């Protein structure tokens, strides 16, 4: 009887328990999936031991899943989401897709060349449906020309052997712009007046902003000097809109690090700050506007004025 019981136990043991050991450096997508599963488990008031029993695994396996260190197979994830009360719909589908996304993309060629955070950002951008961007000093990376990007990056890390890959990578990120539902950037006037490279590079960059603003889903606003230091105080950030609001991500870049934040309250705070920035900024660039429509200064008229000064 003991041998039969042991045999039955072995037969019920999932093969995924014998997979590769936990990864030491999960991607941001893998970490985020684990964090969302932990949120759902907590909301369902299930303990780690109860989930381990459901998966026929030990408690450590659950911890690894929620830290993004190991994957969970499709049938196992389905069981978890049902046990957590996650109904069929956008969030359910998105989590299933996140779990079975292999994380492969154009950014793979930069592995070992650029930082993990850069690759994570590119992957998250590729899965976003909307982006709200605020830059406190320069033009946002997705809107930069190649010469402008090179000038910015060479001023930060002169002589760095990663300059060319870094510029190419930044240009590669721009491919997502056409596929977004919406892109909204607020750029400080100082970011347009600061000489990056030379006057020729700056003129091309400012013309690029007008060109991009012709895309129907792109909004570009300038935050003028006369509105005070609020733009500088808020500093730079990206709000990446997921297929469902639960999967929105805040990205904050610092001189030597970066944060990817999925906390709903923090994201809501930054969303309110972005709305405040947009309300204080000049009306969006509208390249099709007639001269008589510009009686009140807007982003386009300020941009044209700066272009004239660069002659």
């Amino acid at each position: 009887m003991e041998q039969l019981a042991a045999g039955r136990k072995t037969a019920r043991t999932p093969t995924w328990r014998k997979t590769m050991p936990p990864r030491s450096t999960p991607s941001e997508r893998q970490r985020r999936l684990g964090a969302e599963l932990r949120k759902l488990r907590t909301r369902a008031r299930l303990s780690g031991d109860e989930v381990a029993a459901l998966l026929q695994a030990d408690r450590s396996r659950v911890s690894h899943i929620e830290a993004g260190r190991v994957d969970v197979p499709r049938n196992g994830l389905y069981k978890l989401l049902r046990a957590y009360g996650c109904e069929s719909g956008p969030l359910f589908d998105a989590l299933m897709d996140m779990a079975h996304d292999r994380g492969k993309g154009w950014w793979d060629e930069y592995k070992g060349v650029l930082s993990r955070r850069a690759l994570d950002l590119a992957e998250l951008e590729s899965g976003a449906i909307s982006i709200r961007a605020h830059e406190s000093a320069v033009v946002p990376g997705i809107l930069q020309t190649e010469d402008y990007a090179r000038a910015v990056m060479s001023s930060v890390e002169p002589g760095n052997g990663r300059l060319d890959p870094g510029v190419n990578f930044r240009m590669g990120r721009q491919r997502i712009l056409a596929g977004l539902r919406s892109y909204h950037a607020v750029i400080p006037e100082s970011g347009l007046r600061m000489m990056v490279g030379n006057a020729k590079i700056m003129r091309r960059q400012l013309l690029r902003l007008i060109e991009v603003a012709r895309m129907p889903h792109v909004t570009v606003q300038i935050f003028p000097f006369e509105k005070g230091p609020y733009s500088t105080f808020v500093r730079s950030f990206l709000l990446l809109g997921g297929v469902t609001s639960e999967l929105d991500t805040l990205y904050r870049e610092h001189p030597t690090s970066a944060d990817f934040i999925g906390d709903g309250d923090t994201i809501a705070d930054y969303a309110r700050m972005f709305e405040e920035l947009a309300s204080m900024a000049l009306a969006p660039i509208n390249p099709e506007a007639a001269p008589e429509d510009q009686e009140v200064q807007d982003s386009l008229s300020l941009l044209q004025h700066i272009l004239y000064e660069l002659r």
Side-chain angles (χ1 to χ4, degrees), residues 84-103:
Y84 296 162
C86 184
E87 301 294 336
S88 297
L91 179 59
F92 186 99
D93 294 339
L95 292 175
M96 294 293 285
D97 289 342
M98 285 175 69
H100 301 98
D101 185 347
R102 297 298 92 189

Side-chain angles (χ1 to χ4, degrees), residues 91-164:
L91 179 59
F92 186 99
D93 294 339
L95 292 175
M96 294 293 285
D97 289 342
M98 285 175 69
H100 301 98
D101 185 347
R102 297 298 92 189
K104 301 293 184 182
W106 64 267
W107 52 86
D108 284 348
E109 63 184 280
Y110 295 93
K111 286 183 178 179
V113 178
L114 300 182
S115 67
R116 177 72 254 181
R117 71 181 183 187
L119 305 184
D120 282 342
L121 176 59
E123 184 177 1
L124 288 177
E125 286 176 335
S126 72
I129 63 173
S130 66
I131 294 180
R132 286 169 286 177
H134 171 252
E135 277 288 349
S136 62
V138 295
V139 172
I142 285 183
L143 304 182
Q144 292 178 7
T145 65
E146 183 173 343
D147 288 340
Y148 183 94
R150 186 175 299 278
V152 169
M153 297 175 74
S154 62
S155 69
V156 176
E157 298 182 293
N160 191 307
R162 294 180 298 178
L163 179 58
D164 286 341

Side-chain angles (χ1 to χ4, degrees), residues 25-278:
T25 55
S27 70
E28 183 57 32
R29 173 184 54 81
Q30 291 162 338
R31 285 192 294 267
R32 182 60 182 275
L33 173 62
E36 292 303 315
L37 291 176
R38 183 170 59 251
K39 286 180 188 177
L40 290 171
R41 177 178 62 78
T42 301
R43 192 175 306 160
R45 298 184 178 181
L46 292 173
S47 68
D49 290 331
E50 289 172 317
V51 173
L54 177 67
L55 295 177
Q56 298 179 36
D58 54 42
R59 179 65 178 83
S60 64
R61 178 65 60 169
V62 177
S63 296
H64 288 318
I65 289 172
E66 294 183 348
R69 292 191 290 265
V70 299
D71 298 324
V72 57
R74 191 172 189 84
N75 61 342
L77 181 59
Y78 185 90
K79 285 182 180 180
L80 291 183
L81 295 179
R82 288 305 188 197
Y84 296 162
C86 184
E87 301 294 336
S88 297
L91 179 59
F92 186 99
D93 294 339
L95 292 175
M96 294 293 285
D97 289 342
M98 285 175 69
H100 301 98
D101 185 347
R102 297 298 92 189
K104 301 293 184 182
W106 64 267
W107 52 86
D108 284 348
E109 63 184 280
Y110 295 93
K111 286 183 178 179
V113 178
L114 300 182
S115 67
R116 177 72 254 181
R117 71 181 183 187
L119 305 184
D120 282 342
L121 176 59
E123 184 177 1
L124 288 177
E125 286 176 335
S126 72
I129 63 173
S130 66
I131 294 180
R132 286 169 286 177
H134 171 252
E135 277 288 349
S136 62
V138 295
V139 172
I142 285 183
L143 304 182
Q144 292 178 7
T145 65
E146 183 173 343
D147 288 340
Y148 183 94
R150 186 175 299 278
V152 169
M153 297 175 74
S154 62
S155 69
V156 176
E157 298 182 293
N160 191 307
R162 294 180 298 178
L163 179 58
D164 286 341
V167 172
N168 293 337
F169 180 80
R170 184 161 295 182
M171 295 301 101
R173 286 175 52 208
Q174 297 184 5
R175 70 188 69 191
I176 61 104
L177 191 59
L180 292 169
R181 291 184 189 172
S182 65
Y183 178 88
H184 188 171
V186 176
I187 308 170
E189 181 178 347
S190 58
L192 306 183
R193 292 188 178 277
M194 182 188 304
M195 186 61 68
V196 175
N198 54 46
K200 183 178 180 181
I201 290 174
M202 288 302 302
R203 281 187 59 81
R204 287 178 175 172
Q205 178 59 71
L206 299 185
L207 290 171
R208 167 65 175 160
L209 293 179
I210 297 175
E211 175 189 352
V212 171
R214 287 193 170 95
M215 301 174 75
H217 64 292
V218 173
T219 302
V220 179
Q221 291 181 266
I222 310 303
F223 193 97
F225 283 140
E226 58 261 30
K227 290 297 183 178
Y230 184 68
S231 178
T232 302
F233 169 75
V234 173
R235 306 190 70 173
S236 303
F237 64 90
L238 290 175
L239 285 167
L240 305 166
V243 294
T244 177
S245 60
E246 291 92 340
L247 298 180
D248 289 352
T249 301
L250 166 66
Y251 175 76
R252 298 185 303 192
E253 193 167 66
H254 310 290
T256 59
S257 63
D259 298 326
F260 293 93
I261 299 172
D263 175 70
D265 291 338
T266 303
I267 290 173
D269 288 341
Y270 273 80
R272 284 190 289 269
M273 285 192 286
F274 187 86
E275 292 305 313
E276 182 69 13
L277 286 163

